[in-house]
Each structure stands twice: as structure tokens, then as C-alpha cells.
């Protein structure tokens, strides 16, 4: 790289650093975060579990509720339970497999009761509500009840909600919202889900 290009690069990077430093300086509020990970792409649950793994790595207490995917062997659950993370799992599997709204509603409500306890427990630093957006969409969990529990949780507790089609009220309430967009998926090409990668 020529000396002129090096100087230009250094000036650009210096300007970026100043802007980042100013934003860091301005960010002074301390509170638990509400994070929504939504969209049609693969990786919402993986992202949620990545955050749980990070928090556990920092010695924080975490808890997980899983809706929808409860009958599969679960690598994240296998690992995190061994590290003391409690799981509350709906355990009915995909709703299109059960095809039993009453059974699914009862199962969702059981897990939701555990969620309400987690969201009121000051000892828990981070809560993952995996695939909860479906429960709201299907009417298995009341949106207003969920919002009330999220708003009344301990000030320092962070919560992650995952699933497609997050309700606009949850998006508005959240501090951080990420949308995972599907560009290409192996399953659409007839490739089987792979243990350790997909589940």
C-alpha cells in the first residue's frame, strides 16, 4: 500500500474511531435488555442460545423456555443443562404435527406459567423465550399478559424472544430487534437437517 493510501486509510479509521468513541460515551443508561430475533430465516434460536452461552460464560444465571420444538434431541439443551441452566419445554413438537389446538394450548400455558416465574425472579440475569412469537400468533398465550410480564420483570434482567412474525407491540417494546432473512436454505434443496448444525 502506498504511503498516500495508508494515510487516507488511517484518517478514515480515525474518524470512525472518534464516532464510535462518542457513541460509547453517550450510552450511559444501565438496564436489562429486551431483544427480539424474528424473520423467516434460519438462525433465530441459534442466536438466542449464543447469547445464553455468552452470559453463562460470564457467570450469569440464565433460564430457557422452549415452545414448538420440544420433542427433538437438542444439543444446546444437552450442553446448557449440564452447566445448570434450567429448561422449560413445551414438549409437544411442531404444531403442524400435533394438529391438536387444545393440547398445544394446555402445553403452552404450562410453559408460560414457568416463564412468568422466570420473568419475576431477580436472581435470573438472562431469559430466553424461544419461539414464543408463534404462541402469540396462535393465541396460545395472551399478548397483553406477555407484555405485562416483560414490562414488570426485574430492571436488570435481559430477555430474548425468538420466532417468526413478532407482533408489532413486541417490536415496539424491544430495545434491540434483529430480522433474520432467508436467502437460501439447504432443506429447500432436499438436504436433510444435520445433527450438530441444524439441531
Amino acid at each position: 500500500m502506498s504511503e498516500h493510501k495508508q494515510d487516507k486509510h488511517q484518517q478514515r479509521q480515525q474518524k470512525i474511531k472518534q464516532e464510535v468513541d462518542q457513541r460509547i460515551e453517550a450510552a450511559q443508561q444501565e438496564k436489562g435488555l429486551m431483544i427480539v430475533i424474528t424473520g423467516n430465516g434460519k438462525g433465530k434460536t441459534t442466536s438466542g442460545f449464543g447469547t445464553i452461552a455468552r452470559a453463562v460464560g460470564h457467570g450469569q444465571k440464565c433460564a430457557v423456555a422452549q415452545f414448538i420444538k420440544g420433542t427433538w434431541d437438542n444439543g444446546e439443551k444437552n450442553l446448557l443443562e449440564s452447566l445448570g441452566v434450567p429448561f422449560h419445554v413445551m414438549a409437544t413438537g411442531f404444531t403442524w404435527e400435533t394438529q391438536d389446538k387444545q393440547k398445544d394450548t394446555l402445553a403452552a400455558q404450562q410453559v408460560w406459567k414457568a416463564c412468568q416465574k422466570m420473568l419475576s425472579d431477580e436472581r435470573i440475569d438472562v431469559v430466553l423465550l424461544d419461539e414464543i412469537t408463534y404462541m402469540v400468533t396462535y393465541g396460545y398465550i395472551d399478548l397483553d399478559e406477555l407484555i405485562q410480564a416483560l414490562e414488570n420483570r426485574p430492571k436488570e434482567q435481559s430477555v430474548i424472544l425468538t420466532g417468526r412474525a413478532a407482533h408489532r407491540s413486541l417490536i415496539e417494546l424491544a430495545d434491540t430487534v434483529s430480522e433474520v432473512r432467508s436467502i437460501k436454505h439447504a432443506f429447500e434443496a432436499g438436504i436433510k437437517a444435520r445433527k450438530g448444525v441444524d439441531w
Side-chain angles (χ1 to χ4, degrees):
M1 188 182 289
S2 72
E3 194 174 317
H4 176 69
K5 282 186 179 177
Q6 176 61 30
D7 287 345
K8 285 282 193 196
H9 174 75
Q10 190 172 6
Q11 287 170 9
R12 276 194 308 271
Q13 293 305 102
Q14 210 165 25
K15 185 178 178 190
I16 291 169
K17 182 182 180 337
Q18 286 173 343
E19 289 170 2
V20 171
D21 287 347
Q22 286 171 354
R23 291 176 76 187
I24 290 170
E25 181 72 27
Q28 294 299 314
Q29 187 179 3
E30 289 271 354
K31 68 172 202 146
L33 299 176
M34 179 178 156
I35 301 168
V36 172
I37 307 164
T38 192
N40 293 333
K42 174 184 168 16
K44 297 177 291 295
T45 294
T46 304
S47 179
F49 275 123
T51 304
I52 294 295
R54 175 183 291 154
V56 169
H58 284 295
Q60 295 182 350
K61 185 169 177 171
C62 300
V64 174
Q66 278 199 293
F67 299 92
I68 304 287
K69 298 179 196 163
T71 58
W72 286 24
D73 183 29
N74 182 313
E76 297 95 338
K77 183 174 185 275
N78 296 344
L79 174 67
L80 292 168
E81 273 190 330
S82 73
L83 297 172
V85 176
F87 274 68
H88 303 277
V89 181
M90 191 164 147
T92 56
F94 295 103
T95 54
W96 58 86
E97 288 174 348
T98 63
Q99 299 177 15
D100 186 336
K101 185 168 174 119
Q102 186 177 6
K103 181 181 172 188
D104 287 341
T105 303
L106 287 171
Q109 281 296 311
Q110 277 189 314
V111 176
W112 174 235
K113 282 189 176 86
C115 293
Q116 289 172 306
K117 287 181 183 166
M118 294 187 302
L119 292 170
S120 64
D121 189 340
E122 291 180 357
R123 297 168 299 170
I124 302 175
D125 298 296
V126 186
V127 174
L128 171 59
L129 305 178
D130 184 43
E131 310 281 16
I132 196 164
T133 62
Y134 294 100
M135 301 300 100
V136 172
T137 301
Y138 298 156
Y140 298 169
I141 293 174
D142 181 70
L143 175 63
D144 291 336
E145 245 183 63
L146 173 58
I147 288 172
Q148 184 178 6
L150 292 168
E151 288 180 330
N152 293 328
R153 74 187 195 279
K155 185 178 183 288
E156 295 297 319
Q157 186 184 81
S158 293
V159 61
I160 307 153
L161 292 80
T162 70
R164 294 181 182 209
H167 193 280
R168 67 184 175 277
S169 298
L170 296 174
I171 289 171
E172 287 168 11
L173 186 61
D175 299 293
T176 300
V177 179
S178 295
E179 184 175 9
V180 181
R181 188 166 62 95
S182 184
I183 295 176
K184 189 177 184 180
H185 197 298
F187 182 71
E188 292 164 0
I191 300 170
K192 282 180 79 168
R194 190 159 180 85
K195 186 175 185 175
V197 175
D198 290 305
W199 53 278

CSV table of all heavy atoms in Angstrom, one decimal, residues 74-89:
chain,number,residue,atom,x,y,z
A,74,ASN,N,-31.8,-32.0,21.6
A,74,ASN,CA,-31.4,-30.6,21.5
A,74,ASN,C,-30.0,-30.5,22.0
A,74,ASN,O,-29.8,-30.6,23.2
A,74,ASN,CB,-32.5,-29.8,22.3
A,74,ASN,CG,-32.2,-28.3,22.3
A,74,ASN,OD1,-31.1,-27.9,22.4
A,74,ASN,ND2,-33.3,-27.6,22.0
A,75,GLY,N,-29.1,-30.2,21.1
A,75,GLY,CA,-27.7,-30.0,21.5
A,75,GLY,C,-27.5,-28.9,22.5
A,75,GLY,O,-26.7,-29.1,23.5
A,76,GLU,N,-28.1,-27.8,22.3
A,76,GLU,CA,-28.0,-26.6,23.2
A,76,GLU,C,-28.5,-27.0,24.6
A,76,GLU,O,-27.8,-26.7,25.6
A,76,GLU,CB,-28.7,-25.4,22.7
A,76,GLU,CG,-28.3,-24.9,21.4
A,76,GLU,CD,-29.1,-25.4,20.2
A,76,GLU,OE1,-29.7,-26.5,20.3
A,76,GLU,OE2,-29.0,-24.8,19.1
A,77,LYS,N,-29.6,-27.7,24.7
A,77,LYS,CA,-30.2,-28.1,26.0
A,77,LYS,C,-29.2,-29.1,26.6
A,77,LYS,O,-28.9,-29.0,27.8
A,77,LYS,CB,-31.5,-28.8,25.7
A,77,LYS,CG,-32.3,-29.2,27.0
A,77,LYS,CD,-33.7,-29.6,26.7
A,77,LYS,CE,-34.5,-29.9,27.9
A,77,LYS,NZ,-34.3,-31.3,28.4
A,78,ASN,N,-28.7,-30.1,25.9
A,78,ASN,CA,-27.7,-31.0,26.4
A,78,ASN,C,-26.6,-30.3,27.1
A,78,ASN,O,-26.1,-30.7,28.2
A,78,ASN,CB,-27.2,-32.0,25.3
A,78,ASN,CG,-28.3,-32.8,24.7
A,78,ASN,OD1,-29.4,-33.0,25.3
A,78,ASN,ND2,-28.1,-33.4,23.6
A,79,LEU,N,-26.0,-29.3,26.4
A,79,LEU,CA,-24.9,-28.6,26.9
A,79,LEU,C,-25.2,-27.7,28.1
A,79,LEU,O,-24.6,-27.7,29.2
A,79,LEU,CB,-24.2,-27.8,25.8
A,79,LEU,CG,-23.1,-26.8,26.3
A,79,LEU,CD1,-21.9,-27.6,26.7
A,79,LEU,CD2,-22.7,-25.9,25.1
A,80,LEU,N,-26.2,-26.8,27.9
A,80,LEU,CA,-26.5,-25.8,28.9
A,80,LEU,C,-27.1,-26.4,30.2
A,80,LEU,O,-26.9,-25.9,31.3
A,80,LEU,CB,-27.5,-24.8,28.3
A,80,LEU,CG,-26.8,-23.9,27.2
A,80,LEU,CD1,-27.8,-23.1,26.4
A,80,LEU,CD2,-25.7,-23.0,27.8
A,81,GLU,N,-27.9,-27.4,30.1
A,81,GLU,CA,-28.4,-28.1,31.3
A,81,GLU,C,-27.3,-28.6,32.2
A,81,GLU,O,-27.3,-28.5,33.4
A,81,GLU,CB,-29.4,-29.2,31.0
A,81,GLU,CG,-30.8,-28.7,30.8
A,81,GLU,CD,-31.8,-29.9,30.8
A,81,GLU,OE1,-31.5,-30.9,30.3
A,81,GLU,OE2,-33.0,-29.6,31.2
A,82,SER,N,-26.3,-29.1,31.5
A,82,SER,CA,-25.1,-29.6,32.3
A,82,SER,C,-24.4,-28.5,33.0
A,82,SER,O,-23.6,-28.7,33.9
A,82,SER,CB,-24.2,-30.4,31.4
A,82,SER,OG,-23.5,-29.5,30.5
A,83,LEU,N,-24.6,-27.3,32.6
A,83,LEU,CA,-24.0,-26.1,33.2
A,83,LEU,C,-25.0,-25.4,34.2
A,83,LEU,O,-24.7,-24.3,34.6
A,83,LEU,CB,-23.5,-25.1,32.1
A,83,LEU,CG,-22.4,-25.6,31.2
A,83,LEU,CD1,-22.2,-24.7,30.0
A,83,LEU,CD2,-21.1,-25.9,32.0
A,84,GLY,N,-26.1,-26.0,34.4
A,84,GLY,CA,-27.0,-25.5,35.4
A,84,GLY,C,-28.1,-24.6,34.9
A,84,GLY,O,-28.8,-24.0,35.7
A,85,VAL,N,-28.3,-24.5,33.6
A,85,VAL,CA,-29.4,-23.7,33.0
A,85,VAL,C,-30.7,-24.5,33.0
A,85,VAL,O,-30.7,-25.5,32.4
A,85,VAL,CB,-29.0,-23.2,31.6
A,85,VAL,CG1,-30.2,-22.4,31.0
A,85,VAL,CG2,-27.7,-22.4,31.6
A,86,PRO,N,-31.7,-24.0,33.7
A,86,PRO,CA,-33.0,-24.7,33.7
A,86,PRO,C,-33.7,-24.5,32.4
A,86,PRO,O,-33.7,-23.4,31.8
A,86,PRO,CB,-33.7,-24.1,34.9
A,86,PRO,CG,-33.1,-22.8,35.1
A,86,PRO,CD,-31.7,-22.9,34.6
A,87,PHE,N,-34.4,-25.6,31.9
A,87,PHE,CA,-35.2,-25.5,30.7
A,87,PHE,C,-36.6,-25.9,31.0
A,87,PHE,O,-36.9,-26.8,31.8
A,87,PHE,CB,-34.7,-26.5,29.7
A,87,PHE,CG,-33.6,-26.1,28.8
A,87,PHE,CD1,-32.3,-25.8,29.3
A,87,PHE,CD2,-33.8,-25.9,27.4
A,87,PHE,CE1,-31.3,-25.3,28.5
A,87,PHE,CE2,-32.7,-25.4,26.6
A,87,PHE,CZ,-31.5,-25.2,27.2
A,88,HIS,N,-37.5,-25.1,30.4
A,88,HIS,CA,-39.0,-25.4,30.5
A,88,HIS,C,-39.4,-25.6,29.0
A,88,HIS,O,-39.4,-24.7,28.2
A,88,HIS,CB,-39.7,-24.3,31.2
A,88,HIS,CG,-39.2,-24.0,32.5
A,88,HIS,ND1,-39.6,-24.7,33.6
A,88,HIS,CD2,-38.3,-23.1,33.0
A,88,HIS,CE1,-38.9,-24.3,34.7
A,88,HIS,NE2,-38.1,-23.3,34.3
A,89,VAL,N,-39.8,-26.8,28.7
A,89,VAL,CA,-40.0,-27.2,27.3
A,89,VAL,C,-41.5,-27.6,27.1
A,89,VAL,O,-42.0,-28.4,27.8
A,89,VAL,CB,-39.1,-28.3,26.9
A,89,VAL,CG1,-39.3,-28.7,25.4
A,89,VAL,CG2,-37.6,-27.9,27.1
